[in-house]
């Protein structure tokens, strides 16, 4: 008993001493922290308003808006793979943990949301997803199956496990609740976390999720091929860059007013029956085709805006979003070359051949390669009962003019979960918001800012307008968001629009858009 009393006395003395430390001294105390398979690389206390240098090839510096203890570390996930990560621990902490996702094929720590999370008083942790490289760089995967496993499922898990241990060691208290924030690949990581590691997070925000990964990337190859990739110069169906604004305007001409308002936004692209033949040149033999399309180009458009079906008639991937072509990022997919993300994935993972040329990529190849699913990268599973049973909550969203991932893919995934759980209504744990006029994760002419990514998206700092804060309110106060209000950044006065949870739809009542159930 005396030994126990001595230990408790020493522990009390340590905590008393720690309480008297400056923020910098308290931060530096983490240098001696020993965690399983983890090496602390550097620890620094950073003042608000600073710029810090960053490791890796993705960026050279990052902004720090609030005072933090910055921890840089690496986790050895196997003998041939490792995850580098950073924890930003704010001086003013509200007891919450925030894990962050990634984008594309990338191995980039999400510094924008490390800064965002810490300004909202979350202890925030982001990783490089198990490798160093940009959103379309698949070369780290070549002949490295464990690096692929980190990317597919493991990085976010170890980020959560080790990140929480660092947070609790720093603040000397337990975390109250744990959250995750991500979009695109980050959205897929959110769904994968709920499926594979339901204990890691209490709440997940997963935007524009790249679920059905292989079909998604295969669709990007097929869409490029429709307009002549990889040999556009010899293809009559090639559509040059100057024609896409013409096409985009014609889509608006045909469909903008379907929701009752001509505002440059198509509320529900599924209601638009776009007829590309309206752009057909009246004189197909003319060489002046700067404002009209030839028959092969019209046929290419038909294919782009309809689902991709397999050799047996089954749908392989949903149709591309109308008005996605209005975004500059669209150029990569329809430049007449194969999408850079598709090149990175197929060459380095699917075919394991950096010289694969796509000359012989066809529908049969598309179908067969879907079976190559390392780390369950497809993330196409609706069994979320374990996450649901423990009280976990998911808020997901998708822009309806997404230029990279079809918003109908999110509808399909929602319905997959619904049918798997034999539950027509998922409102008790999963809510999907479709965002008119928003591109991939952000941007576009719509009211796209609702706290989903970065300080710029937090136009109104309230749970009614911020999807991350709405998730906190749902998890901690059982206040489920009936809708979410988005803003147009920079508008004066602030332009807002209410975004509806599926299956409700946005309906114009003569003065405003409201949410209603529409059969």
């Amino acid at each position: 008993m005396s030994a126990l009393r001595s230990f408790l006395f020493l522990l009390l003395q340590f905590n008393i001493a720690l309480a008297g430390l400056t923020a910098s001294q308290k931060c530096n105390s983490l240098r001696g922290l020993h965690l399983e398979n983890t090496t602390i690389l550097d620890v620094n206390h950073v003042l608000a308003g600073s710029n810090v240098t960053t490791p890796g090839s993705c960026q050279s510096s990052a902004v720090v808006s609030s005072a933090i203890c910055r921890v840089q570390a690496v986790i050895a996930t196997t003998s041939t793979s490792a995850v580098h990560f950073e924890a930003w621990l704010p001086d003013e902490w509200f007891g919450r943990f925030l894990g962050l996702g990634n984008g594309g094929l990338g191995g980039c720590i999400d510094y924008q949301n490390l800064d965002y999370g810490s300004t909202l008083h979350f202890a925030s942790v982001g990783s490089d997803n198990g490798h160093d490289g940009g959103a379309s760089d698949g070369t780290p995967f070549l002949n490295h199956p464990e690096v692929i496993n980190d990317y597919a499922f493991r990085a976010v898990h170890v980020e959560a496990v080790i990140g929480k241990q660092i947070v609790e060691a720093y603040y000397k208290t337990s975390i109250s609740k744990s959250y995750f924030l991500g979009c695109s690949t980050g959205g897929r990581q959110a769904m994968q976390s709920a499926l594979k590691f339901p204990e890691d997070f209490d709440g997940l925000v997963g935007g524009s999720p790249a679920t059905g990964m292989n079909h998604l990337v295969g669709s990007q190859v097929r869409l490029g091929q429709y307009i002549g990739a990889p040999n556009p110069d010899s293809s009559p169906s090639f559509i040059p860059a100057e024609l896409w604004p013409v096409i985009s305007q014609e889509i608006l001409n045909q469909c903008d007013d379907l929701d009752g308002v001509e505002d440059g936004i198509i509320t529900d692209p599924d209601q638009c029956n776009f007829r590309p033949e309206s752009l057909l040149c009246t004189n197909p033999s003319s060489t002046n085709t700067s404002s009209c399309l030839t028959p092969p180009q019209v046929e290419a458009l038909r294919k782009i805006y309809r689902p991709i079906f397999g050799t047996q008639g089954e749908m392989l991937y949903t149709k591309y979003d109308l008005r996605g072509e209005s975004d500059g990022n669209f150029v990569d997919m329809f430049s007449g070359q194969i999408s850079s993300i598709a090149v990175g994935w197929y060459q380095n993972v699917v075919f394991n051949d950096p010289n694969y040329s796509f000359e012989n990529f066809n529908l049969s190849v598309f179908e067969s390669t879907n079976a190559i699913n390392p780390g369950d990268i497809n993330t196409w599973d609706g069994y979320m009962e374990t996450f649901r049973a423990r009280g976990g909550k998911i808020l997901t969203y998708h822009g309806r003019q997404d230029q990279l991932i079809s918003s109908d893919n999110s509808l399909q995934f929602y319905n997959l979960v619904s049918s798997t759980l034999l539950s027509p209504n998922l409102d008790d744990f999963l809510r999907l918001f479709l965002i008119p006029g928003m591109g991939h994760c952000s941007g576009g002419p719509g009211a796209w800012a609702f706290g989903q990514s970065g300080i710029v998206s937090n136009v109104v700092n309230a749970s009614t307008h911020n999807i991350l804060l709405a998730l906190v309110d749902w998890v901690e106060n059982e206040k489920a968001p009936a809708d979410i209000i988005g803003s147009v950044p920079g508008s004066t006065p602030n332009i807002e629009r209410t975004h509806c949870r599926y299956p409700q739809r946005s309906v114009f009542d003569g003065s405003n858009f409201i949410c209603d159930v529409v059969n």
Side-chain angles (χ1 to χ4, degrees):
M1 178 65 76
S2 59
L4 176 61
R5 280 198 297 267
S6 297
F7 171 76
L8 293 175
F9 176 77
L10 289 173
L11 182 63
L12 177 62
Q13 293 298 109
F14 174 77
N15 285 332
I16 291 172
L18 190 64
L21 295 178
T22 65
S24 181
Q25 290 170 329
K26 181 181 175 184
C27 184
N28 283 329
S29 70
L30 291 177
R31 292 182 183 275
L33 189 62
H34 297 286
L35 301 171
E36 185 178 7
N37 298 322
T38 302
T39 302
I40 303 295
L41 300 175
D42 202 6
V43 177
N44 298 102
H45 186 263
V46 183
L47 298 177
S50 300
N51 281 286
V52 294
T53 58
T54 57
S57 62
C58 297
Q59 63 188 79
S60 59
S61 65
V63 174
V64 180
S65 298
S66 301
I68 59 164
C69 175
R70 181 192 185 197
V71 182
Q72 300 175 71
V74 58
I75 306 166
T77 50
T78 70
S79 61
T80 59
S81 60
V83 172
H84 289 78
F85 72 97
E86 293 199 18
W88 286 22
L89 313 175
D91 286 4
E92 188 177 5
W93 182 54
F94 289 178
R96 303 182 182 108
F97 176 87
L98 181 67
L100 300 171
N102 305 88
L105 306 181
C108 299
I109 293 174
D110 187 354
Y111 287 103
Q112 173 180 270
N113 282 315
L114 279 172
D115 188 46
Y116 178 44
S118 59
T119 63
L120 292 177
H121 313 288
F122 291 84
S124 304
V125 178
S127 85
D128 70 351
N129 217 7
H131 63 283
D132 179 39
S136 59
D137 182 8
T139 56
F141 300 137
L142 186 65
N143 298 316
H144 288 102
E146 292 298 345
V147 175
I148 298 172
N149 283 334
D150 281 343
Y151 170 77
F153 69 90
R154 193 163 50 207
V156 168
H157 175 57
V158 298
E159 162 188 302
V161 172
I162 300 300
K164 289 177 186 178
Q165 293 176 23
I166 291 174
V167 171
E168 293 185 342
Y170 181 65
Y171 293 109
K172 303 300 177 185
T173 188
S174 298
I175 293 166
S176 60
K177 294 292 180 183
S178 297
Y179 299 93
F180 177 85
L181 179 68
C183 189
S184 194
T185 288
R188 184 193 61 77
Q189 289 169 321
M191 304 309 165
Q192 191 78 294
S193 181
L195 291 165
K196 290 191 183 304
F197 304 105
E199 301 290 331
D200 281 356
F201 299 100
D202 300 293
L204 303 154
V205 175
S208 305
T211 50
M213 173 73 170
N214 279 326
H215 277 174
L216 163 62
V217 178
S219 75
Q220 293 184 349
V221 178
R222 294 296 287 166
L223 295 183
Q225 288 179 324
Y226 292 158
I227 60 168
N231 301 303
D233 293 340
S234 60
S235 173
S237 62
F238 175 64
I239 300 174
E242 60 267 21
L243 273 176
W244 288 109
V246 176
I247 293 166
S248 191
Q249 183 58 52
E250 180 59 22
I251 292 171
L252 276 182
N253 293 344
Q254 294 187 29
C255 303
D256 190 2
D257 62 356
L258 291 177
D259 58 9
V261 181
E262 291 190 27
D263 56 0
I265 297 170
I266 300 173
T267 294
D268 185 354
D270 292 336
Q271 293 182 333
C272 176
N273 181 26
F274 172 53
R275 301 181 66 87
E277 63 270 21
S278 63
L279 289 168
L280 192 63
C281 296
T282 55
N283 180 9
S285 63
S286 172
T287 58
N288 183 16
T289 56
S290 61
S291 60
C292 62
L293 304 182
T294 64
Q297 291 171 326
V298 167
E299 184 56 29
L301 274 189
R302 290 189 199 281
K303 293 176 181 178
I304 288 169
Y305 295 117
R306 69 186 182 198
I308 298 175
F309 294 96
T311 56
Q312 304 302 312
E314 73 281 18
M315 189 169 73
L316 298 178
Y317 197 71
T318 54
K319 64 182 181 298
Y320 191 80
D321 281 350
L322 290 166
R323 290 280 290 160
E325 77 290 327
S326 65
D327 189 278
N329 288 327
F330 183 85
V331 173
D332 181 57
M333 197 179 300
F334 296 113
S335 63
Q337 301 300 322
I338 303 298
S339 156
S340 56
I341 288 178
V343 171
W345 184 251
Y346 273 102
Q347 287 184 341
N348 297 286
V349 179
V350 177
F351 295 115
N352 209 42
D353 177 5
N355 297 313
Y356 182 79
S357 68
F358 296 92
E359 293 285 350
N360 298 315
F361 189 97
N362 56 28
L363 205 55
S364 295
V365 175
F366 184 175
E367 291 177 311
S368 65
T369 55
N370 190 54
I372 302 172
N373 187 26
D376 189 24
I377 189 66
N378 271 338
T379 319
W380 197 256
D381 181 355
Y383 189 75
M384 293 186 173
E385 186 56 42
T386 304
F387 182 77
R388 182 188 204 176
R390 67 175 293 268
K393 310 296 183 187
I394 304 174
L395 294 180
T396 181
Y397 61 89
H398 209 128
R400 297 240 70 182
Q401 63 176 59
D402 193 314
Q403 66 272 24
L404 293 177
I405 302 175
S406 164
S407 58
D408 281 350
N409 191 60
S410 280
L411 291 170
Q412 277 203 327
F413 188 78
Y414 181 97
N415 291 331
L416 172 68
V417 176
S418 177
S419 61
T420 303
L421 300 183
L422 302 178
S423 178
N425 191 321
L426 304 177
D427 271 1
D428 65 307
F429 89 104
L430 171 62
R431 298 191 173 203
L432 165 64
F433 296 86
L434 299 174
I435 314 298
M438 186 175 82
H440 186 60
C441 297
S442 63
W448 62 263
F450 45 91
Q452 77 275 28
S453 181
I455 293 173
V456 68
S457 72
N458 191 29
V459 177
V460 179
N461 190 34
S463 60
T464 52
H465 294 67
N466 182 307
I467 198 167
L468 178 58
L469 299 182
L471 180 66
V472 170
D473 221 9
W474 192 10
V475 168
E476 299 180 14
N477 303 314
E478 299 184 0
K479 291 179 61 177
D483 48 48
I484 196 81
I485 301 172
S487 299
V488 177
S491 59
T492 306
N494 184 31
I495 298 173
E496 297 183 342
R497 178 167 176 171
T498 298
H499 301 309
C500 311
R501 75 185 188 279
Y502 181 76
Q504 291 188 356
R505 292 184 179 178
S506 184
V507 177
F508 189 65
D509 68 356
S511 57
N512 294 296
F513 283 98
I514 62 172
C515 298
D516 199 2
V517 177
V518 179
N519 295 323

